Amino acid sequence: MSVKLRKVGIIGVGHVGAHVAFSLATQGIVDELVLVDINKQKVVSERQDLIDSLSYLPHRINVVNGEYEDLADCDIVVLSAGKITETGSRLDEVQYSANVVDSFADRVVSAGFNGIFIVITNPCDVIARYLWEKTGFPKNRVFATGTGLDSCRFKTVLSRETGVDPKAISAYTMGEHGDSQIAAWSNVVFGAKPLSQLEKEDPDRFGKLDKPAILDEVKKAGWVTFKGKHATEFGIASTLARLVYAVFHDEKTVLPASTLLEGQYGENGIFASTPCVIGKNGVEDVYELNLSDDELKDYKNSCDVIRTTYNLIK
């Protein structure tokens, strides 16, 4: 009998990639990790640090250093290579990130990789589309973390403002993982009750939310993190790990992710975030929310930002 081990490759083991590896290892989500980076000493050092921790972890994980060709038999390849700019805009990273895709896509596919790509590299919506077009993979097997982290931040702020556990809140930011993202207020639910209903029933608790300020806080949260440590690590690593877990366990759970739009919200041919069903085949369904007129207008504007940025790639 042959037992298939759960194997994930990580391209780019800087701050984000290293924490992705550690999160996958400590949660026992993977059996094998393959680390790839153009900085060979960084890979050696991160592997050493990871294997130093294994005796104290409740799970056995094999960690190896590799080249792009060593990703061939991975189930999932995570793209986390990139260069953070200090301009305050993820969009300024687009050409560098596109060049990263150019450097590995053909090699990984030619080696025989036939799994799922998950993109963290910013601007992730643009780079997911670029990688999808570059590889010719099925649309369900290339997607980005998108507003997964932003939606988590959204629920965290809502929890602070209302006192409700964030795990009991269903709330999404959507569109671009960036400044043009929207908050889908019309679809926020606490337990089984829509926010719109709670605003009427308990106006002192739910009716005084400063919605523009909350969205602004969500948008700026990443830069608050970056200002003091020049990286964001824990939140995005947990977001990625949650997606990988959903794939490996065929959960069919609904999570925000950046995926190809084919008519949803009147948009076509771009990657943008919306709730998605995540299972063993990647994005198995795309949920189109009923947005208010203003929300839909803002969502389409966000898609225009993504589209404009994609056209900057040379």
Side-chain angles (χ1 to χ4, degrees), residues 93-306:
E93 304 164 34
V94 62
Q95 189 60 55
Y96 181 91
S97 298
N99 293 343
V100 169
V101 172
D102 290 338
S103 72
F104 76 81
D106 289 342
R107 288 177 62 181
V108 173
V109 174
S110 296
F113 176 67
N114 195 37
I116 292 170
F117 282 109
I118 305 179
V119 176
I120 298 174
T121 297
N122 279 319
C124 66
D125 311 290
V126 170
I127 297 306
R129 175 185 169 186
Y130 190 64
L131 180 60
W132 170 66
E133 293 182 343
K134 192 83 174 175
T135 59
F137 268 37
K139 61 186 180 182
N140 57 297
R141 292 200 282 118
V142 181
F143 59 96
T145 49
T147 58
L149 176 54
D150 306 287
S151 295
C152 179
R153 291 166 173 159
F154 188 25
K155 291 190 287 185
T156 298
V157 177
L158 288 173
S159 174
R160 183 194 70 206
E161 295 298 310
T162 64
V164 177
D165 190 309
K167 293 183 177 64
I169 302 171
S170 176
Y172 299 97
T173 64
M174 300 167 56
E176 178 208 3
H177 172 52
D179 292 338
S180 72
Q181 69 185 271
I182 74 159
W185 288 103
S186 60
N187 286 266
V188 173
V189 177
F190 290 78
K193 283 197 172 186
L195 173 60
S196 57
Q197 181 178 346
L198 288 167
E199 286 172 333
K200 298 173 183 177
E201 295 178 354
D202 192 350
D204 288 339
R205 187 178 183 187
F206 294 96
K208 298 179 180 179
L209 297 174
D210 188 336
K211 294 178 180 179
I214 288 173
L215 178 57
D216 188 59
E217 180 178 347
V218 170
K219 290 179 180 180
K220 293 179 178 177
W223 299 109
V224 172
T225 302
F226 183 84
K227 186 176 181 180
K229 55 190 288 184
H230 298 285
T232 60
E233 304 160 308
F234 308 136
I236 189 58
S238 296
T239 301
L240 183 282
R242 182 68 188 91
L243 289 165
V244 173
Y245 186 95
V247 171
F248 279 144
H249 293 269
D250 194 24
E251 280 194 313
K252 319 293 188 189
T253 191
V254 179
L255 295 167
S258 186
T259 189
L260 178 66
L261 299 181
E262 298 179 297
Q264 295 89 356
Y265 311 103
E267 297 291 334
N268 282 281
I270 66 166
F271 279 62
S273 283
T274 188
C276 297
V277 176
I278 307 296
K280 65 181 180 181
N281 297 307
V283 174
E284 299 190 355
D285 200 3
V286 179
Y287 282 3
E288 181 178 7
L289 300 185
N290 290 320
L291 300 177
S292 70
D293 290 344
D294 286 342
E295 289 168 350
L296 181 58
K297 179 181 177 182
D298 290 343
Y299 186 86
K300 293 179 76 65
N301 174 71
S302 188
C303 289
D304 285 340
V305 170
I306 296 169

